[in-house]
Amino acid sequence: MMSRANAQAFIDLETGAVFTGYNNVRIPGDAGTLFSLKDDLTPKPNAFIRLRAGYAIGKRHTISLLYAPLTIKSDGSINKQIDFEGVTFPSNSPLNASYTFNSYRITYRYDLVKRPKIEFGIGFTAKIRDAEIALSSNGFASSKANVGFVPIINFRLNYKVNNNFGILFEGDALAAPQGRAEDALLAVTYKFSDNLMTHLGYRILEGGADNDEVYNFSLIHYASVGVLYKFKKNVKAN
């Protein structure tokens, strides 16, 4: 007699184009100059890649690791003096800016609903944020880096239209007095087989913080395409 192993590995690769909705900065948060990396400077076209790997354990438990790097560069000039992290940039000088927001996450999720047409799960994500905002111009340069831990709520809603097509809404989100963070995907999915699925959709990354050290709130849009591959389950004899 044969029975399935109780875990199945998967890998999820996502890529596409990134667009800045807004990105407002003041560093230090209580004394710097407020300016926009989107409206005062011009963001350069950019692509992204995200990689998730994990295990589905049994029918309802999922554990995964996510690597999500992001860097957006902007340039231009601003018709006012910019005080940024201890350096004063003269007005109308050519500026080069770099906005980095790399994310490393481990997630556990439990499927509360597991039906033929609909699945809904909720869980917890432990996120390491590796962020840096840098500004340079004609020999002047300054940057503010921040590495921190952020606990957030994970969710996933998957509606199966038929055997092949579905609608997926998933992400991580949490708001607190110190700031907020939302990273969510809404996509149409297509299943080629039990092991291979693709998606096409829209991802939003929004949030920020307001404190004495940093004021930064940003909205990033993603045009997303992805492929998820589930490795075949091993079987064992009873």
Side-chain angles (χ1 to χ4, degrees):
M1 180 179 178
M2 305 294 288
S3 65
R4 290 185 178 181
N6 62 358
Q8 183 176 26
F10 66 88
I11 188 166
D12 188 358
L13 177 64
E14 184 180 346
T15 188
V18 175
F19 308 92
T20 302
Y22 56 77
N23 199 340
N24 301 318
V25 178
R26 184 173 62 235
I27 300 176
D30 60 351
T33 302
L34 180 64
F35 67 100
S36 170
L37 297 175
K38 164 63 166 56
D39 298 325
D40 295 321
L41 301 177
T42 303
K44 297 180 179 179
N46 196 24
F48 78 95
I49 188 169
R50 295 163 62 108
L51 180 64
R52 184 187 297 274
Y55 270 96
I57 304 171
K59 293 183 178 181
R60 295 180 181 266
H61 305 272
T62 301
I63 297 175
S64 65
L65 298 170
L66 174 70
Y67 170 56
L70 176 66
T71 297
I72 300 174
K73 296 184 180 296
S74 304
D75 58 20
S77 62
I78 303 176
N79 61 356
K80 65 180 178 180
Q81 176 179 293
I82 302 296
D83 296 319
F84 178 84
E85 189 62 359
V87 175
T88 297
F89 296 86
S91 62
N92 297 311
S93 58
L95 296 173
N96 293 291
S98 176
Y99 175 82
T100 298
F101 197 89
N102 298 329
S103 182
Y104 311 87
R105 307 178 204 176
I106 181 168
T107 296
Y108 166 76
R109 185 178 63 248
Y110 177 78
D111 285 337
L112 297 169
V113 178
K114 194 80 171 180
R115 298 176 181 173
K117 296 285 288 185
I118 191 166
E119 300 170 346
F120 175 71
I122 193 165
F124 173 81
T125 292
K127 170 183 172 181
I128 300 296
R129 176 194 63 243
D130 180 11
E132 182 181 28
I133 302 173
L135 200 61
S136 64
S137 174
N138 294 336
F140 296 91
S142 187
S143 67
K144 175 64 175 178
N146 180 270
V147 177
F149 169 75
V150 183
I152 43 183
I153 301 299
N154 177 263
F155 63 90
R156 180 178 182 270
L157 175 64
N158 183 34
Y159 175 71
K160 301 174 185 178
V161 178
N162 55 37
N163 289 334
N164 298 107
F165 285 97
I167 299 173
L168 176 66
F169 181 49
E170 66 175 3
D172 296 307
L174 190 66
Q178 298 84 359
R180 63 179 186 266
E182 306 97 42
D183 182 355
L185 171 71
L186 179 63
V188 175
T189 63
Y190 183 82
K191 187 174 74 171
F192 293 98
S193 68
D194 289 340
N195 298 99
L196 181 62
M197 184 178 75
T198 186
H199 82 252
L200 180 66
Y202 164 71
R203 178 178 293 279
I204 183 174
L205 178 67
E206 196 276 341
D210 181 3
N211 54 57
D212 291 345
E213 292 187 10
V214 174
Y215 175 91
N216 175 227
F217 285 91
S218 63
L219 170 64
I220 310 298
H221 305 286
Y222 295 76
S224 171
V225 60
V227 175
L228 184 145
Y229 181 77
K230 296 180 181 180
F231 295 89
K232 291 183 178 179
K233 288 186 177 181
N234 295 323
V235 295
K236 60 182 180 180
N238 287 340

